[in-house]
Amino acid sequence: MTILGIAGIQMPVSAIADNIDMMERYVAHVRKRFPWVTVMVFSELCVFGSNPIHAQTMPGEAEQRLQTIAAKYGMWLIPGSMFELLDGCVFNTTPIISPDGVVVDRYRKMFPFFPYEQGITAGNRFVVFDIPDVARIGVSICYDMWFPETTRTLASMGAEVIIHPTMTDTIDREVELAMCRAAAAQNQVYFFDVNGVGDGGVGQSCVVDCSGYVVHQASTMPEIMAVQVDVGKVRRERETGLRGLGQVLKSFRERPVEFDVYNRASSVDDYLYTLGPLKKPGRNLNDGLNEDKEGDPLAKSMEISGPMG
């Protein structure tokens, strides 16, 4: 049996102040109260909030403060994320910091929440890291989860636990909770989803195990989710099947089909180009809905003539 202690911190996040001191107080508290926890996870943009004006280079002063915290308390630290300045671009970046204070990697969010998260550049590299002799961990951020290819890729790279900081303050949180459970089951992985509260989100963080069971569902208040992750269960179920049933990852490995939708040179996704530009709706929500319908046979075929009912 291999057990990994992870604590997700659903803490109040300020959008106008530095949150690092409060993050350290949570780390100190967890280190004392739950000595078996070796991994600490915070929510997306927990460090400075959601304003890109706080973007910093990495390495930089804020990241160094986080490294000091990790080393002081001997924790693997995934401090949510913060905006990073790199080559004239701004990325939404999660540093992965080891218990000796070393940044072992940085994950940059692949799917910024367009068209709302304007001015943020998408990352293009998947990140997994190993806790020696314990587990392989994958990292994704918030909107990445809406694209199941991201979770599938991390699982295919051997991730047994996926750490998923998020900052959701919108009415679609219940949809995300369903996705968390689906992602865990479809990829036979523990899915550790950590949201913030206050300026950092509506809470309702959750942990789902590799069988698709909800280990814990947080409230909308500040909360510490200290969970003992059974990595051995992941390995057994990947070998024998989810709940003794479907062997999902092995079935994907032995799939009889390649997916043409991922080949940009194919025409299988032509429909997607009929959906219009990726932009926010304007004041008039009906603007543009009837544009180009005369020249679009697909749109014309979808028209409904006459009143319904």
Side-chain angles (χ1 to χ4, degrees):
M1 178 180 293
T2 302
I3 303 296
L4 174 63
I6 303 178
I9 308 302
Q10 181 173 287
M11 68 169 247
V13 174
S14 171
I16 60 173
D18 176 336
N19 294 292
I20 296 177
D21 288 344
M22 181 178 288
M23 294 170 71
E24 179 172 6
R25 289 196 291 273
Y26 271 102
V27 174
H29 175 73
V30 169
R31 180 69 181 85
K32 182 176 182 180
R33 187 174 185 190
F34 305 107
W36 46 267
V37 167
T38 56
V39 182
M40 294 277 292
V41 183
F42 290 85
S43 59
E44 180 189 18
L45 300 175
C46 185
V47 180
F48 289 114
S50 59
N51 193 333
I53 196 172
H54 298 299
Q56 295 197 7
T57 57
M58 295 184 184
E61 187 268 339
E63 188 180 60
Q64 289 168 1
R65 289 172 63 191
L66 296 167
Q67 290 176 260
T68 299
I69 294 169
K72 180 178 179 180
Y73 298 98
M75 290 279 192
W76 284 93
L77 181 60
I78 294 88
S81 69
M82 58 184 176
F83 287 121
E84 175 193 18
L85 284 173
L86 178 66
D87 298 331
C89 299
V90 177
F91 294 86
N92 187 339
T93 302
T94 294
I96 296 117
I97 306 172
S98 72
D100 53 2
V102 174
V103 176
V104 299
D105 213 331
R106 298 182 184 96
Y107 172 70
R108 298 176 177 94
K109 186 177 181 179
M110 288 187 174
F111 288 93
F113 187 37
F114 295 146
Y116 292 90
E117 196 174 351
Q118 291 294 327
I120 308 304
T121 300
N124 60 8
R125 186 174 69 88
F126 291 94
V127 170
V128 297
F129 67 97
D130 291 320
I131 297 179
D133 303 317
V134 179
R136 175 163 288 185
I137 313 294
V139 181
S140 64
I141 300 175
C142 201
Y143 201 41
D144 289 337
M145 176 180 66
W146 287 69
F147 305 88
E149 299 83 358
T150 59
T151 309
R152 177 71 79 199
T153 300
L154 293 172
S156 298
M157 294 169 71
E160 296 160 313
V161 178
I162 291 180
I163 300 298
H164 183 252
T166 191
M167 191 203 79
T168 300
D169 59 356
T170 48
I171 62 173
D172 55 351
R173 184 59 181 157
E174 64 177 291
V175 179
E176 291 188 330
L177 294 176
M179 288 183 179
C180 291
R181 194 171 182 190
Q186 290 171 341
N187 296 283
Q188 299 183 279
V189 66
Y190 272 81
F191 202 86
F192 224 99
D193 175 273
V194 182
N195 198 18
V197 293
D199 294 337
V202 296
Q204 298 178 294
S205 302
C206 72
V207 180
V208 186
D209 78 1
C210 58
S211 299
Y213 293 118
V214 176
V215 177
H216 181 72
Q217 171 68 68
S219 69
T220 58
M221 302 296 289
E223 190 167 334
I224 296 170
M225 303 187 302
V227 173
Q228 296 184 3
V229 172
D230 186 350
V231 183
K233 180 179 180 179
V234 177
R235 296 166 185 168
R236 288 193 304 275
E237 291 216 348
R238 286 180 171 182
E239 178 63 29
T240 63
L242 184 148
R243 307 186 191 184
L245 301 168
Q247 298 180 21
V248 185
L249 289 184
K250 287 191 282 186
S251 295
F252 178 74
R253 179 193 67 198
E254 298 179 16
R255 64 190 181 277
V257 62
E258 296 302 323
F259 299 103
D260 289 340
V261 71
Y262 300 121
N263 178 4
R264 294 183 185 273
S266 76
S267 60
V268 72
D269 63 346
D270 282 355
Y271 164 73
L272 299 181
Y273 295 92
T274 71
L275 299 180
L278 181 60
K279 66 178 183 179
K280 287 186 184 181
R283 173 69 68 176
N284 184 348
L285 292 176
N286 296 304
D287 279 352
L289 292 184
N290 297 312
E291 291 177 3
D292 300 325
K293 200 172 269 192
E294 289 300 319
D296 182 357
L298 178 62
K300 291 178 73 174
S301 71
M302 296 173 67
E303 287 183 339
I304 300 175
S305 58
M308 294 183 65

